[in-house]
Amino acid sequence: MTKSMNGAESLVRTLVAGDVTVSFTNPGTSEMHFVAALDRVDGMRCVLCLQENVATGAADAYYRMTGKPGSTLLHLGPGLANGLANLHNLKRARSGVVNIVGEHATYHRVYDAPLTSDIEGIAGTMSHWVKTSVSATDVAADGAAAITAASQPPGQIATLILPADTAWNVGSGPAPVAAAAAPAKVTEAAIEAAAKAILAGGKPMILLGTDGVREKAAALASRIQQKTGTRILGQTSVARMERGAGRVALDRLPYPVDHALAATKEITHLILVGAQAPVAFFAYPNKPSTLYPPEAEVVTLATPAEDAVDALERLAERLGAAKTEPLLTAPRRTELPKGALNPDTIAAVIGNLMPENAIVVDESVTTGRGFFPHSYGAAPHDWLQLTGGAIGEGLPLAVGAAVACPDRKVVSLQADGSGMYSLQALWTMARERLDVVVCIWANRTYAILKLELANVGAENPGRKAHDMLSLGDPDLDWVSLARGMGVEATRVDTAEAFADVFAAAAKRKGPFLIEVLC
Ligand SMILES: Cc1ncc(C[n+]2csc(CCOP(=O)(O)OP(=O)(O)O)c2C)c(N)n1
Ligand SMILES: [Mg+2]
C-alpha cells in the first residue's frame, strides 16, 4: 500500500515546485512534521539559524540577490516575534518572503497551552498576506497562494500559519502556483509630467530608489543627466546598489539632516523613481521633517511597484537622451593607506582591495558614513544596506547573500554594537561554510548615539547617559566570540595590518572575521 502524502509534504513539494528552494529555519515541536517533510523532498536547501532574526534577515538578502522569495520556518508566536525586527527591514527593502509559522493543532488551541498566542496578530504587523490553514487538504493551496503573494512586485511578506494537525493529516499533494504579475509600466502621463518638470527651466533632481540604482536604471538616469543637467541621487537607504568601475558613480542622500538639506537646497522639482520623497529618520528640535524645499514640486515617475527601467527608458527617449553616453566610472584604485585606523583609512583599504564581483553588506553606521568615494572606481560589486533602521541585520544579510550567490565573495562591513544583536549568524556562516569576510568596526561604543545626544539638544548629559552609549567595561572580544562559533578570526590595529589580513581573507574561501580596532 502506498502511503498518502501528509499536509507538510504537500506544502514542501508546492514550495519547491513554486521555486521557493531555500528555508532559513529555527524549528520547534509544532514544526516537526514540516522538518521531516524537508528531508523527504529534494530541492529545498535548509539553513539552520540560531535566532529567528538571523533567519528573517537572511531571507531579506536572499530576495535582494535572487529577485525571488525564500522561506523561513519559525516556531509559533514567540519565534515569529523574535524575527520581526528584520522582517521590518525586509519590508522596507521591499523584499518578498514566505514565512511558515508553526501553530498548535487546531483542537489543542482551546486548552491555552503555554506557547499559545495571537500569531495572526503578531504576523499582521509585518505581513502583507496572512493565513492560518484550517485543514491538511488546504495547506498546499494556501502555500501556493503565499508564494504568489510574496512574489507580487516589488516583493511582499506572506505568512502562512500551519497548525500541527494540518501538517500531519493526509494532504492534497502539491498545488499549482499561479505566476505573479510583472511590474506595471508607468502611464504616459507620468512620463510627460517628469519631462515637463525637467524642462521647466528650474533645478530638477531625480531621486532613485532601489530599482533606480541598479546598473541599467542608473545608466539611463545618467544619460538624462548628461543631456539635460538634471541632478541624480540615490535615496539614503537602498536595498541593492550596483557600483564600481564601469558603472555610474552615484551618491546617496546623506543621513544627517543638515547634510541632506544642503544636498537638496536649490531643488525646484523632485522626480521620484521607486523612491519616497525624503524625510528625516527622526524629528529634531527646530529642524524640518522633510528633506527638500517645501516649495519644490514632487513628481512620481515610478512607484516601487512599477517598472523603473522601462520608465527611465521612455523618459530618456522623450528628452532626446536615448543615445547620449552615460557617465561611467573608470577603474581607479585608491592608494593603500598607512598608520592609524579611522573611517578614512578603513574606506581606502576596502576600496583598494575590493574583490571582483563582491557583495558588500554595509551595516557600518558611523564608521561608514564616508565609504563611497573610496570605492567609486573599485572592482565592480553590489552594495546592500540596512533599509529599515532596525540595527542587527548586517550579519544575517551576509548569510542570505552568501547562500544566494555561492560563487561570490561576501564582504560584511559591520559596526560592533549593531553586530551584537544577531551575532549567532557567525555560527551559520561556519556551519554552511559561507564565503564571507566579516570586518567588525570595534570602536567599542554606540558612536552614532553620542552624536544624536548632542543633536536632539539633551542638556549636560552626565556619566549615566554616557554609560548607556559605551560598549567598554568589559570590552567585547570579537576574536573569541567568532572562534567560539567556529569562525577563524584575528584582530588588527593598523591600516597596514588590516590591508594584509583583508587581502589574505579575500583570497581564501570560507568565513573569516577581522576585528578592526578603531
Ligand atoms: C533594533 C534597534 N534597536 C536600537 C536601535 C537604536 N540604535 C541606533 S544606532 C545604535 C547604536 C549603534 O552602534 P554601533 O553599531 O556600534 O555603531 P557606531 O555608531 O558605533 O558606528 C542604536 C542602539 C535601533 N536603531 N534599532
Ligand atoms: Mg560602535
Side-chain angles (χ1 to χ4, degrees), residues 334-337 343-353 374:
T334 48
E335 290 270 302
L336 268 183
D344 203 51
T345 51
I346 285 173
V349 170
I350 300 293
N352 185 288
L353 298 174
H374 285 282

Side-chain angles (χ1 to χ4, degrees), residues 405-409 433-436 488 504-512:
C405 303
D407 300 330
R408 300 177 64 178
K409 191 83 185 178
R433 276 87 174 152
L434 301 180
D435 197 12
V436 185
E488 283 184 63
K507 283 203 191 83
R508 69 200 278 288
K509 278 273 189 192
F512 191 87

Side-chain angles (χ1 to χ4, degrees), residues 364-367 389-391 415-419 421 443 445-449 471:
S364 294
V365 194
T366 312
T367 305
I391 56 174
D416 52 358
S418 303
Y421 287 73
N443 60 11
T445 157
Y446 284 165
I448 187 175
L449 297 187
L471 300 179

Side-chain angles (χ1 to χ4, degrees), residues 56-73:
T56 51
D60 183 4
Y62 181 85
Y63 183 92
R64 297 191 202 188
M65 295 312 302
T66 61
K68 62 173 189 164
S71 63
T72 64
L73 180 64

Side-chain angles (χ1 to χ4, degrees), residues 9 61 98 107 124 136 148 171 232 248 318 323 366 419 434 462 465 474 512:
E9 187 172 335
V98 176
Y107 59 84
T148 307
I232 58 175
V248 180
R318 166 69 179 78
K323 299 221 161 56
T366 312
L434 301 180
F512 191 87

Side-chain angles (χ1 to χ4, degrees), residues 14-102:
T14 302
L15 291 172
V16 173
D19 207 21
V20 176
T21 54
V22 64
S23 176
F24 298 101
T25 70
N26 190 266
T29 308
S30 42
E31 296 81 40
M32 284 300 121
H33 279 85
F34 191 90
V35 169
L38 288 172
D39 228 15
R40 289 196 295 276
V41 179
D42 285 338
M44 178 71 85
R45 178 166 180 189
C46 303
V47 179
L48 179 60
C49 301
L50 302 189
Q51 213 274 0
E52 292 84 348
N53 222 28
V54 176
T56 51
D60 183 4
Y62 181 85
Y63 183 92
R64 297 191 202 188
M65 295 312 302
T66 61
K68 62 173 189 164
S71 63
T72 64
L73 180 64
L74 309 169
H75 187 50
L76 297 100
L80 172 61
N82 275 345
L84 283 184
N86 279 338
L87 280 181
H88 163 83
N89 288 321
L90 184 154
K91 192 176 189 183
R92 289 279 167 183
R94 303 183 193 282
S95 296
V97 67
V98 176
N99 297 312
I100 310 286
V101 182

Side-chain angles (χ1 to χ4, degrees), residues 105-462:
T106 47
Y107 59 84
H108 194 62
R109 275 199 299 247
V110 294
Y111 298 107
D112 195 30
L115 269 162
T116 306
S117 66
D118 177 7
I119 305 180
E120 285 192 1
I122 296 167
T125 60
M126 296 293 174
S127 303
H128 301 88
W129 183 101
V130 181
K131 184 157 190 198
T132 304
S133 286
V134 293
S135 89
T137 48
D138 291 339
V139 170
D142 291 344
I147 297 169
T148 307
S151 313
Q152 215 56 38
Q156 298 203 107
I157 301 176
T159 302
L160 177 61
I161 301 163
L162 197 61
D165 52 343
T166 69
W168 73 52
N169 284 338
V170 175
S172 61
V177 180
K185 309 270 193 241
V186 306
T187 62
E188 270 312 302
I191 304 282
E192 215 34 57
K196 220 174 115 203
I198 286 173
L199 300 173
K203 292 215 155 86
M205 175 190 272
I206 296 179
L207 190 69
L208 302 163
T210 294
D211 286 345
V213 299
R214 297 287 296 278
E215 183 168 16
K216 205 166 168 198
L220 287 162
S222 175
R223 287 179 201 273
I224 295 170
Q225 177 192 46
Q226 294 298 302
K227 176 80 181 182
T228 64
T230 307
R231 286 179 55 199
I232 58 175
L233 201 63
Q235 69 181 20
T236 306
S237 316
V238 288
R240 177 181 176 189
M241 195 176 216
E242 289 165 314
R243 309 182 65 236
R247 293 168 172 169
V248 180
L250 264 184
D251 282 311
R252 289 169 290 144
L253 188 72
Y255 169 90
V257 170
D258 293 337
H259 297 195
L261 289 172
T264 59
K265 189 165 76 212
E266 292 169 344
I267 297 306
T268 55
H269 298 80
L270 188 60
I271 297 124
L272 305 174
V273 181
Q276 227 179 314
V279 298
F281 263 63
F282 299 102
Y284 301 89
N286 306 318
K287 290 188 185 178
S289 289
T290 50
L291 300 179
Y292 53 95
E295 60 281 2
E297 190 191 328
V298 179
V299 176
T300 299
L301 173 63
T303 67
E306 291 173 325
D307 188 334
V309 169
D310 173 75
L312 286 163
E313 245 163 20
R314 285 160 59 201
L315 181 60
E317 185 72 42
R318 166 69 179 78
L319 295 168
K323 299 221 161 56
T324 309
E325 285 303 315
L327 185 61
L328 304 180
T329 319
R332 185 169 64 90
R333 282 194 188 271
T334 48
E335 290 270 302
L336 268 183
K338 292 194 168 55
L341 281 159
N342 55 48
D344 203 51
T345 51
I346 285 173
V349 170
I350 300 293
N352 185 288
L353 298 174
M354 180 74 73
E356 190 76 27
N357 206 23
I359 303 168
V360 176
V361 174
D362 177 14
E363 193 175 47
S364 294
V365 194
T366 312
T367 305
R369 289 260 171 93
F371 273 5
F372 265 26
H374 285 282
S375 48
Y376 289 142
H381 57 275
D382 282 83
W383 195 284
L384 314 191
Q385 282 181 281
L386 185 67
T387 47
I391 56 174
E393 200 188 22
L395 296 172
L397 284 176
V399 166
V403 168
C405 303
D407 300 330
R408 300 177 64 178
K409 191 83 185 178
V410 176
V411 177
S412 154
L413 308 180
Q414 184 59 58
D416 52 358
S418 303
M420 283 303 290
Y421 287 73
S422 45
L423 76 170
Q424 302 90 333
L426 294 172
W427 181 88
T428 300
M429 290 178 196
R431 153 70 80 88
E432 299 288 327
R433 276 87 174 152
L434 301 180
D435 197 12
V436 185
V437 46
V438 179
C439 306
I440 301 287
W441 314 134
N443 60 11
R444 297 177 174 162
T445 157
Y446 284 165
I448 187 175
L449 297 187
K450 292 193 169 160
L451 300 172
E452 295 288 47
L453 194 63
N455 283 342
V456 296
E459 278 166 24
N460 302 323

